[in-house]
Amino acid sequence: MSCLQVLLAIIFPPLAVLDRGCGSVTIVFILTLFGWIPGVIGALIILNKNE
């Protein structure tokens, strides 16, 4: 997880998880529609997972 991805997760969460696949982007986008904070939390959780 780079500093740029963390910054993107705070500013626009779906853009931060773009490299994780379509499912992750969709989930984070839906969470962002419910509110900014759930989207940020979801993006940070997805970015924190080791692949």
Side-chain angles (χ1 to χ4, degrees):
M1 179 165 48
S2 69
C3 292
L4 178 63
Q5 285 180 324
V6 172
L7 186 63
L8 281 175
I10 293 171
I11 295 171
F12 188 65
L15 189 60
V17 296
L18 198 59
D19 63 340
R20 303 292 177 153
C22 183
S24 297
V25 174
T26 305
I27 290 170
V28 172
F29 183 74
I30 291 170
L31 286 172
T32 305
L33 287 178
F34 285 121
W36 176 72
I37 292 177
V40 170
I41 292 171
L44 290 174
I45 289 172
I46 290 173
L47 288 175
N48 199 27
K49 286 185 180 181
N50 292 333
E51 286 196 19

